[in-house]
Amino acid sequence: MILPIYIYGQPVLRKVSEDIGADYPQLQELISDMWETLAESEGIGLAAPQIGKAIRLVVIDLDVISDDLPQYKGFRQVFINPHIVEYDESKTDSSEEGCLSLPAIHEKVVRPTRIHVVWDDEQFQHHDEWIEGYLARVMQHEFDHLDGKVFVDRISPLRKQLIKSKLKSLLQGRFRCGYKTKVVRK
């Protein structure tokens, strides 16, 4: 089932998400719905807060960009209870990011190119790895959602001031995108 994407201003996007167990109700159905929603919205990552759930669950599909980045051919991964343990600040990269919860806003964000991450996969097998490159960026972006952050929190105050009217438009529900959304109703 395709779920609506929660748009900037929804309180759940500012909550710190909770870890879940294998007994989380209808977890496999939720994961399936997240994959379907991600495909419909043509994104590469989706965090549970973006569909209204304050739980530590993320799906990432980099196969969709494998024509440009062939090393990610076939990469589709579920991350349960992910946590970034350490950031390797020795090398950073500035790249443009966008977000399904902030349609039509794209800004350059500086992030470390290497991170140490722990998570459980769909079978609740534990992983503890250093991740590099584009996947590290995507993970940082998606895992920020689990900590109540969105990518515009990581841009300079000047840049944020310059996009203030765009953010206000999102809060007012004045935007267009090609997928189902849920906005704050005043």
Side-chain angles (χ1 to χ4, degrees):
M1 174 171 56
I2 296 169
L3 304 169
I5 304 284
Y6 281 54
I7 299 300
Y8 180 80
Q10 284 283 356
V12 70
L13 294 175
R14 294 303 189 178
K15 286 186 177 175
V16 175
S17 297
E18 301 284 328
D19 282 352
I20 59 172
D23 60 346
Y24 186 83
Q26 298 160 327
L27 179 59
Q28 291 306 315
E29 183 180 335
L30 176 60
I31 291 169
S32 177
D33 290 348
M34 287 178 72
W35 282 124
E36 195 174 340
T37 301
L38 181 63
E40 177 70 17
S41 60
E42 298 180 352
I44 60 173
L46 184 65
Q50 293 181 274
I51 54 155
K53 306 227 179 264
I55 59 172
R56 295 191 80 84
L57 174 62
V58 169
V59 296
I60 295 176
D61 180 0
L62 295 184
D63 186 61
V64 297
I65 59 166
S66 63
D67 285 348
D68 295 324
L69 298 171
Q71 67 269 35
Y72 295 117
K73 182 78 178 150
F75 186 94
R76 284 174 47 99
Q77 178 72 50
V78 174
F79 297 88
I80 299 172
N81 304 327
H83 293 273
I84 297 174
V85 178
E86 186 178 351
Y87 295 87
D88 179 351
E89 303 279 354
S90 66
K91 186 175 178 203
T92 60
D93 175 57
S94 177
S95 289
E96 191 171 275
E97 293 186 17
C99 182
L100 297 174
S101 293
L102 290 100
I105 296 179
H106 297 86
E107 289 291 325
K108 285 197 173 247
V109 179
V110 176
R111 296 191 187 268
T113 59
R114 186 170 177 261
I115 55 174
H116 181 194
V117 185
V118 294
W119 79 92
D120 295 329
D121 62 24
E122 217 170 332
Q123 289 74 42
F124 279 84
Q125 295 297 311
H126 190 67
H127 298 262
D128 182 334
E129 297 179 28
W130 280 93
I131 306 292
E132 297 185 42
Y134 190 70
L135 177 57
R137 172 170 293 279
V138 174
M139 290 170 109
Q140 288 172 80
H141 176 105
E142 296 305 330
F143 299 172
D144 271 356
H145 283 297
L146 306 180
D147 294 324
K149 292 182 172 69
V150 292
F151 81 95
V152 293
D153 297 336
R154 299 201 177 272
I155 63 176
S156 73
L158 175 61
R159 286 302 312 159
K160 198 160 188 179
Q161 188 63 35
L162 291 171
I163 64 167
K164 190 175 184 177
S165 64
K166 289 181 182 180
L167 294 173
K168 187 175 180 184
S169 292
L170 293 179
L171 292 171
Q172 295 170 342
R174 292 185 297 124
F175 62 90
R176 289 191 181 159
C177 62
Y179 46 87
K180 286 181 12 179
T181 61
K182 184 168 177 116
V183 297
V184 175
R185 295 285 178 218
K186 303 236 183 224

